[in-house]
Amino acid sequence: MKKLVFVAFLLLAVTNGFAKKVKFAVDMDTFAISPNGIHVTGDFQAIAGYPGGDWTSNETVCIQEGSTTIYSVIVELPAFAKYEYKFVNGDQFYEVEFVPVESRVGYDFDDNRWLWVDSIANDTTFVGAIKFAGNAPAGLNLVRYLVDLNNQTAISNRPHVAGNFQNWNPATTSLYSFGDSIFEIISYVDSGTYQYKFVNGNAWGFDESIPSACNVNGNRSITVAKDTVLSAFCFGSCTVCNPTAVHVVSAQSEFSIFPNPAKDFIRVNLYKSSNLKSIQLTDLAGRIVLKFAPESNIQINRNDIPSGIYFVVLQDGDGKKTAKKIILQ
């Protein structure tokens, strides 16, 4: 029995040793606030100790900061991990925000926000109060830095990006990989021109040597005037490593729904794709209720079908499906 208690204590100590305070914050801006409050939901909730587990929409309450439009919560999470999340204007999952393409995980039709926690420093990881259903905090632009290390061996202390947007520190901004040798990170900056370069490690001497075709003062350069997702160029190159192997953040077969829930009609706005094969409305049992042509905008009228819960299902030519729940009252 004493051994079991010691093991449990040791595991708790290890977990806390790698714990990190993480602040989730959202700017509700002009949105009407639900009487049920603002929440955040994601795959961090179980490990943060919420009894309902991950993706529970009514447990992790965001508190209003003074009289501002910002709502936030601080939780403790293990560091050196990636977390996915969304904000909820209310306490039901159908009230989650529609995350813009630039901010999404973006791979395998994953439309969640994501955060990479790469530090155990005694401070709070905070990316800023992102606008609800937006890409960045007020007044800032999203920049998504990507690099392909297909021509390199990623060393143990992770690749980083350094630039004048973070004081040229090669050890503070590490990158996360969703696979296929591509590493990335999201930052938020003012409009302007920035120089940067990638580092295969966390110290100068492991930074890339950039060819003259894309070299500005020995660095890469970007002028930011809007939310921007950069191309995943090969480390030390001005081009992609292998065009057929590169993941891109894409709007292919993605769509938005508004209003939801609805009393009269629901509009489905599509980002058209040449690979889109079918669009269907199904009930909870998976039975097809309606079929639609792959058009850019679709309207489902309340008079066409009974009230209830349905799913809009998109299927592409490769058989991959994306579904979103709708509620007709």
Side-chain angles (χ1 to χ4, degrees), residues 46-326:
I47 202 165
Y50 291 96
D54 292 340
W55 297 109
T56 303
S57 60
N58 62 352
E59 280 197 336
T60 310
V61 181
C62 296
I63 304 300
Q64 184 178 13
E65 297 187 356
S67 59
T68 71
T69 58
I70 296 173
Y71 293 72
S72 64
V73 62
I74 295 176
V75 300
E76 286 199 2
L77 298 173
F80 308 109
K82 178 267 300 175
Y83 299 99
E84 298 184 19
Y85 66 100
K86 287 181 178 178
F87 294 105
V88 189
N89 189 3
D91 61 2
Q92 301 297 313
F93 199 79
Y94 62 77
E95 296 172 301
V96 298
E97 61 181 340
F98 178 77
V99 179
V101 172
E102 295 85 355
S103 293
R104 299 177 188 175
V105 170
Y107 304 106
D108 299 324
F109 304 108
D110 189 334
D111 62 356
N112 301 320
R113 297 188 186 277
W114 64 280
L115 170 70
W116 165 239
V117 180
D118 67 344
S119 167
I120 57 173
N122 188 25
D123 59 7
T124 300
T125 293
F126 177 47
V127 300
I130 302 169
K131 284 194 171 185
F132 188 82
N135 276 320
L140 299 180
N141 302 288
L142 170 149
V143 178
R144 191 161 176 166
Y145 296 90
L146 297 97
V147 63
D148 191 341
L149 292 184
N150 187 58
N151 64 343
Q152 302 283 312
T153 299
I155 61 179
S156 59
N157 50 17
R158 287 190 166 274
H160 289 65
V161 62
N164 58 354
F165 70 96
Q166 49 85 274
N167 297 318
W168 289 107
N169 191 325
T172 59
T173 311
S174 70
L175 310 179
Y176 178 78
S177 177
F178 290 95
D180 286 351
S181 73
I182 295 177
F183 291 78
E184 57 189 292
I185 200 67
I186 290 174
S187 71
Y188 305 104
V189 300
D190 293 312
S191 296
T193 299
Y194 296 88
Q195 293 185 20
Y196 67 98
K197 66 193 320 184
F198 295 104
V199 184
N200 191 8
N202 62 357
W204 297 120
F206 296 97
D207 51 304
E208 59 183 343
S209 178
I210 302 170
S212 59
C214 56
N215 184 312
V216 178
N217 300 322
N219 306 306
R220 299 182 186 273
S221 180
I222 176 177
T223 298
V224 179
K226 62 180 181 178
D227 299 318
T228 304
V229 178
L230 299 176
S231 298
F233 289 149
C234 221
F235 186 87
S237 172
C238 301
T239 60
V240 297
C241 293
N242 180 355
T244 63
V246 174
H247 269 309
V248 293
V249 179
S250 170
Q252 180 178 4
S253 296
E254 293 287 357
F255 56 103
S256 62
I257 296 173
F258 183 84
N260 189 22
K263 294 182 179 179
D264 301 317
F265 64 89
I266 285 181
R267 285 197 178 95
V268 181
N269 299 316
L270 303 176
Y271 300 97
K272 290 191 69 175
S273 166
S274 59
N275 196 32
L276 188 59
K277 182 180 180 182
S278 68
I279 306 170
Q280 300 173 344
L281 184 72
T282 69
D283 61 17
L284 288 173
R287 294 175 294 227
I288 298 174
V289 178
L290 295 172
K291 293 184 178 180
F292 306 95
E295 300 173 349
S296 58
N297 294 290
I298 294 170
Q299 182 165 307
I300 302 171
N301 295 313
R302 169 65 181 79
N303 294 333
D304 295 338
I305 55 177
S307 61
I309 299 175
Y310 299 89
F311 290 92
V312 178
V313 182
L314 274 64
Q315 181 172 341
D316 65 19
D318 299 322
K320 293 182 180 178
K321 293 183 178 181
T322 305
K324 291 185 185 291
K325 182 171 68 175
I326 64 172

